[in-house]
Amino acid sequence: MPKTILLAIVSILLVGSIILQPDESFKASLQGLTIWWNIVFPGLLPFLVLYEIMLAFGLAHAIGNLLQPMMKRMTGLPGEAALAVVFGWLGGYPAGSEAVTSLRKREVLNRSQSQQLLGIAHMPNPIFMLVVIGAGFLHKPIAGMMIAAAVWVSALWLLLLSYLFRDRKQPAASSSDITPAPLPSESGQRKGALSAIAQGLQSGREEDGRSFGKVLGDSVANSVQKLMIVGGLMIFAAVLSKLSEPLLIPILKQGFSFIGPAFFESHLGAYAAAVWDAPGASAAFGSAIIAAVLAWSGMAGILQTGYAISGTDLKLLPFIAFRLNHALHAFLLTLLLWQPMTWLIGKLNPNGDFPVMLYGHYFAASLDVNMPIQSVTASELPSLWPISLTAAGLLMVILLLTSFISGSKNGRISRFR
């Protein structure tokens, strides 16, 4: 009852604020709609459709099966947890949270394991980081790749820390209460990586069972529906950010204009950080802010996870704490990696700087780029998609090679035993 009364009071206050400031609320709503329609919607729609098709034909299941040895070796979690990580890292939030909830309801994972996996599987859409942010917001595809790398590596680092410092006796005791049925892919690991991929493709296709025409139609419909939800959240977050400005006056006076949008919604917060007009703010610092915003995911992303885990014994407060911790690590890791990565890129690129997109034209390099960086429209994105997709492919190859090496080591260890 107190929670219901509090929510009712907050809703009344928000409605009253919109009525008292209709002009400002409309401008904020229009800003969120413009960013979503010009950049986010056209930048994500083709890849969401392809992701839905990939799920229907079992490719995500195959990748999950292939990563199972690495998941067991690095985290001690059951191999099926790899599928939740694949869904979350490829589909973006809240796909990972929904996958973890499904595993918990089926009692494949205990509560401690599910709570740990929930923070790792909740990740921003990779195409949003590589294409929309790198090519659209920053005009610097490699900067988008570095932001994505910082978000992913910091998540893996936190996963490793939790594995090293947790009480190992307690998970062993609690996991003994749960005896999940072995997946076909787990026995397939003995036959090699190709067998695991084949079994994953077969199981995923049998689980779906739709024809290609049905898959294509449903993929377009589901992708548009997801983007409509994202657009609604961005518009609502833009209005909330504008209405909350009186509460953030001390912070806004210091020049941190991105705080409000970043707190409520990650897409809007990433854009606000990309166009942040701060004297002397470098591209490294601006990219670190964007990485932190994406790792935080905004209250909109957190509430989506809260809705996904409803009906289970999973808690939202530890998840929020993990998001804050992840945001801090992503920020610091971006700053730490920026100089080594720019040095490496300088060696690989004869011009010694990032390739950029400005005013619809591609340039090999741009020296001393500072914040803010102007936004682009949807028509300027396609020419940079191949660069971002190549980076995503290279990252996937690295993960698959790591999984293969891990599986080979496990096989040799078992033969020695």
Side-chain angles (χ1 to χ4, degrees):
M1 182 62 70
K3 182 179 179 180
T4 303
I5 295 175
L6 179 62
L7 291 176
I9 293 174
V10 171
S11 301
I12 294 173
L13 291 176
L14 289 176
V15 172
S17 300
I18 293 175
I19 294 174
L20 293 175
Q21 305 179 64
D23 185 52
E24 296 295 332
S25 300
F26 177 77
K27 290 180 180 179
S29 177
L30 186 61
Q31 180 193 22
L33 176 62
T34 301
I35 298 171
W36 172 75
W37 180 251
N38 286 337
I39 301 179
V40 176
F41 188 90
L44 288 183
L45 180 60
F47 300 101
L48 286 179
V49 174
L50 293 175
Y51 173 70
E52 293 286 338
I53 296 175
M54 183 179 68
L55 291 182
F57 286 90
L59 185 57
H61 293 74
I63 297 174
N65 290 349
L66 196 60
L67 295 178
Q68 282 185 7
M70 184 174 64
M71 176 63 65
K72 292 180 180 180
R73 187 179 183 86
M74 290 183 60
T75 67
L77 296 175
E80 196 169 1
L83 192 59
V85 174
V86 171
F87 281 176
W89 285 43
L90 293 182
Y93 34 75
S97 303
E98 294 173 352
V100 174
T101 301
S102 175
L103 293 177
R104 179 57 186 148
K105 288 182 177 179
R106 289 158 46 201
E107 295 188 350
V108 176
L109 304 174
N110 58 37
R111 179 179 176 182
S112 176
Q113 292 171 334
S114 301
Q115 199 74 57
Q116 177 188 6
L117 185 63
L118 188 64
I120 301 300
H122 182 86
M123 299 292 286
N125 189 290
I127 301 302
F128 177 74
M129 292 188 289
L130 297 172
V131 175
V132 177
I133 291 180
F137 289 175
L138 297 177
H139 307 277
K140 302 170 69 172
I142 298 181
M145 299 172 196
M146 293 172 66
I147 291 172
V151 173
W152 292 332
V153 173
S154 59
L156 295 176
W157 168 249
L158 290 175
L159 179 63
L160 179 61
L161 288 181
S162 64
Y163 178 70
L164 292 177
F165 292 99
R166 70 182 179 180
D167 184 5
R168 299 188 178 184
K169 295 182 180 180
Q170 183 177 354
S174 58
S175 61
S176 63
D177 299 333
I178 299 176
T179 55
L183 294 173
S185 58
E186 293 179 357
S187 60
Q189 290 293 339
R190 303 190 188 100
K191 302 177 183 179
L194 294 179
S195 177
I197 293 175
Q199 291 185 14
L201 290 172
Q202 181 180 0
S203 62
R205 187 69 187 115
E206 291 176 353
E207 181 181 339
D208 187 272
R210 294 174 292 172
S211 64
F212 178 77
K214 178 67 173 175
V215 168
L216 183 60
D218 292 345
S219 299
V220 174
N222 294 336
S223 300
V224 172
Q225 182 181 8
K226 289 179 180 179
L227 287 173
M228 291 294 289
I229 294 174
V230 171
L233 290 173
M234 289 181 66
I235 294 173
F236 185 61
V239 175
L240 289 180
S241 175
K242 189 64 179 179
L243 296 178
S244 64
E245 283 185 355
L247 303 176
L248 302 174
I249 289 178
I251 298 177
L252 296 177
K253 286 183 177 180
Q254 301 298 323
F256 299 103
S257 57
F258 61 89
I259 292 294
F263 176 78
F264 290 106
E265 213 278 328
S266 61
H267 300 83
L268 201 61
Y271 178 82
V275 298
W276 177 37
D277 189 6
S282 64
F285 189 78
S287 299
I289 293 292
I290 295 175
V293 170
L294 294 174
W296 160 245
S297 78
M299 289 304 301
I302 291 174
L303 291 178
Q304 289 182 69
T305 295
Y307 176 77
I309 64 176
S310 60
T312 66
D313 56 355
L314 302 179
K315 301 300 181 182
L316 199 59
L317 189 59
F319 175 75
I320 294 176
F322 184 91
R323 299 262 60 84
L324 292 172
N325 196 14
H326 188 195
L328 176 62
H329 281 76
F331 175 81
L332 296 176
L333 191 62
T334 305
L335 295 179
L336 289 175
L337 292 178
W338 193 266
Q339 290 297 331
M341 290 297 293
T342 51
W343 176 84
L344 178 61
I345 294 168
K347 295 296 182 181
L348 298 177
N349 187 354
N351 294 307
D353 199 17
F354 297 102
V356 298
M357 164 72 78
L358 289 174
Y359 307 112
H361 300 285
Y362 180 80
F363 297 91
S366 177
L367 300 176
D368 300 326
V369 178
N370 290 331
M371 310 299 281
I373 305 174
Q374 298 176 354
S375 62
V376 295
T377 59
S379 61
E380 297 173 328
L381 291 177
S383 61
L384 290 179
W385 282 346
I387 300 175
S388 299
L389 288 177
T390 301
L394 289 175
L395 290 173
M396 184 59 64
V397 169
I398 293 173
L399 285 176
L400 296 180
L401 288 176
T402 304
S403 174
F404 180 78
I405 294 172
S406 177
S408 301
K409 289 182 178 180
N410 287 342
R412 289 196 297 269
I413 292 174
S414 62
R415 285 196 297 269
F416 281 122
R417 288 178 179 175

